[in-house]
């Protein structure tokens, strides 16, 4: 950040979970970080308000001035940015962390029940390999980047990939869930560490199809069925049983429950995933799946159409023969 580019930069909060926002804040967290790094507090505020409003041509936002909406956040100081009062269109709506009126109910029926699947069975997850040398997605801790690995894997007597014959590897599936087209992409995942179960999600940038990772087809199917049953969200299955889930009924992406409730449910789900399925503490198992389908972040991703090599920007075969 320099004086020359400061009016062309803005702050962004992306993929923040409820627990993170409750504990650390939202844009005010970004403002704290800027000031801690030596950015002038008023310039930091400009990055988070006026610059963003001008970029997106929100001409009635971003500044305290005649003709602008009186959307105001009052903070205790310009170091910690603790918000004490919030105004929307000149009306005070929150004070000291508490809403002053009940949230407005909206009709969300049109964006509910959005998990549309053609018939999915255990056979849908069968991954036949004509060779033993394959492309695999390699996870990198604390990063949305992935590796494009070349691995030698063991196949079962039918020539299929079975994670239980390949310690350290999981099977990954991406199922198109908006039009029930039946398209399913299958791949191999290294570094996830899931054992004796499966985890399914419908938050999966940017197409937000249904993603499931597991070490056996039966639990992968159970997780898919549960996600459909709850209208989208996160589901953790093991031994054919649902171990934990979090419904996200609004478009399969959002909850209609209070943030505190969502945060607690997410914490329970992640704790269960680590305790029951052996997922490591080194990364958030949910967020890892969320980004494995984004085919613009190197190196290898999986879509409902198959493996996507970001470097060549093309679909590639799982076999390297």
């Amino acid at each position: 950040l320099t004086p020359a580019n400061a009016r062309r930069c803005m702050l962004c909060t992306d993929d923040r979970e409820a627990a993170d926002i409750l504990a650390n804040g939202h844009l005010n967290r970004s403002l704290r970080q800027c000031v801690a790094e030596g950015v002038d507090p008023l310039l930091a505020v400009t990055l988070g308000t006026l610059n963003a409003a001008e970029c997106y041509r929100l001409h009635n936002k971003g500044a305290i001035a005649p003709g602008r909406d009186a959307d105001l956040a009052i903070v205790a100081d310009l170091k910690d940015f603790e918000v004490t009062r919030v105004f929307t269109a000149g009306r005070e709506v929150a004070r000291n962390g508490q809403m002053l009126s009940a949230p407005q109910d909206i009709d969300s029926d049109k964006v509910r029940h959005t998990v549309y699947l053609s018939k999915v069975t255990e056979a849908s997850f069968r991954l036949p390999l004509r060779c033993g040398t394959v492309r695999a997605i390699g996870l990198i801790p604390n990063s949305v980047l992935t590796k494009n690995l070349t691995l030698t894997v063991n196949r079962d007597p039918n020539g299929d990939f079975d994670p239980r014959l390949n310690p350290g590897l999981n099977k990954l599936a991406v199922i198109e869930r908006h039009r029930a087209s039946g398209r399913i992409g299958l791949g191999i995942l290294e570094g996830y560490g899931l054992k004796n179960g499966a985890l399914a999600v419908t938050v999966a940038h940017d197409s937000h199809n249904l993603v499931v990772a597991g070490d056996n087809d039966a639990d992968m199917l159970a997780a898919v069925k549960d996600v459909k049953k709850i209208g989208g969200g996160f589901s953790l299955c093991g031994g054919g049983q649902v171990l934990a889930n979090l419904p996200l009924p609004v478009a399969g992406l959002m909850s209609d429950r209070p943030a505190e409730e969502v945060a607690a449910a997410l914490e329970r789900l992640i704790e269960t995933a680590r305790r029951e399925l052996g997922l490591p503490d080194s990364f958030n198992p949910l967020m890892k799946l969320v980004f494995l389908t984004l085919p613009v972040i190197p190196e290898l991703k999986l879509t409902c159409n198959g493996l996507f090599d970001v470097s060549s920007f093309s679909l590639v075969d799982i076999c390297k023969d």
Side-chain angles (χ1 to χ4, degrees):
L1 186 68
T2 71
N5 67 23
R7 288 288 277 123
R8 289 292 182 265
C9 295
M10 57 185 175
L11 300 178
C12 170
T13 56
D14 203 4
D15 290 285
R16 288 275 171 86
E17 295 180 347
D20 186 16
I21 295 172
L22 288 170
N24 302 304
H26 198 253
L27 270 174
N28 53 336
R29 179 188 186 181
S30 300
L31 292 172
R32 286 197 302 272
Q33 291 175 313
C34 285
V35 172
E37 292 295 331
V39 177
D40 177 82
L42 295 184
L43 177 57
V45 171
T46 302
L47 300 179
T49 55
L50 183 62
N51 286 7
E54 288 183 345
C55 174
Y56 292 106
R57 301 186 181 185
L58 303 175
H59 300 302
N60 56 335
K61 306 288 185 182
I64 303 173
R68 308 261 179 156
D69 293 343
D71 295 341
L72 311 172
I74 312 299
V75 299
D77 58 54
L78 296 179
K79 177 183 177 183
D80 296 324
F81 293 93
E82 178 185 353
V83 178
T84 59
R85 302 174 72 186
V86 179
F87 294 79
T88 297
R91 183 173 66 90
E92 188 174 13
V93 295
R95 182 182 298 172
N96 296 325
Q98 299 296 320
M99 293 286 291
L100 298 182
S101 59
Q104 180 181 356
D105 288 331
I106 62 171
D107 181 7
S108 58
D109 287 345
K110 292 182 179 180
V111 288
R112 290 176 181 265
H113 311 292
T114 60
V115 182
Y116 298 105
L117 302 177
S118 60
K119 186 176 181 179
V120 181
T121 67
E122 286 189 37
S124 302
F125 302 110
R126 179 172 172 260
L127 180 53
L129 300 174
R130 66 176 184 274
C131 66
T133 303
V134 299
R135 292 179 175 88
I137 300 172
L139 295 185
I140 301 173
N142 302 315
S143 176
V144 296
L145 300 175
T146 58
K147 299 176 184 177
N148 187 346
L149 301 177
T150 298
L151 302 177
T152 299
V153 297
N154 298 313
R155 292 173 284 176
D156 70 12
N158 295 319
D160 297 340
F161 172 73
D162 185 343
R164 292 167 295 188
L165 299 177
N166 295 274
L169 301 181
N170 287 125
K171 187 181 291 185
L172 185 67
V174 178
I175 307 171
E176 193 280 321
R177 62 105 171 172
H178 302 289
R179 300 188 179 187
S181 66
R183 297 200 305 275
I184 300 180
L186 296 170
I188 297 171
L189 184 60
E190 189 267 347
Y192 196 57
L194 190 153
K195 300 176 182 177
N196 303 317
L199 180 57
V201 305
T202 54
V203 181
H205 303 306
D206 273 334
S207 298
H208 295 295
N209 286 315
L210 197 162
V211 182
V212 57
D215 74 340
N216 69 89
D217 296 345
D219 282 329
M220 292 177 72
L221 179 61
V224 167
K225 287 183 174 180
D226 186 54
V227 160
K228 179 174 174 57
K229 180 180 178 181
I230 64 178
F234 305 122
S235 179
L236 184 68
C237 291
Q241 302 295 318
V242 177
L243 303 177
N245 63 24
L246 173 61
L248 298 176
V250 181
L253 302 174
M254 292 174 282
S255 174
D256 55 2
R257 306 302 303 161
E260 293 82 1
E261 186 177 319
V262 174
L266 270 175
E267 184 178 359
R268 287 194 300 270
L269 198 152
I270 292 172
E271 288 177 352
T272 303
R274 289 172 175 159
R275 182 181 66 252
E276 300 293 335
L277 302 188
L279 286 160
D281 296 333
S282 57
F283 57 76
N284 182 320
L286 301 178
M287 293 302 288
K288 275 298 181 188
L289 291 188
V290 165
F291 280 98
L292 290 180
T293 62
L294 188 52
V296 293
I297 297 181
E299 294 179 328
L300 191 65
K301 295 295 188 286
L302 184 65
T303 75
C304 65
N305 295 313
L307 281 174
F308 193 83
D309 184 330
V310 182
S311 298
S312 65
F313 221 71
S314 62
L315 293 168
V316 292
D317 197 302
I318 192 170
C319 278
K320 297 195 69 172
D321 55 5

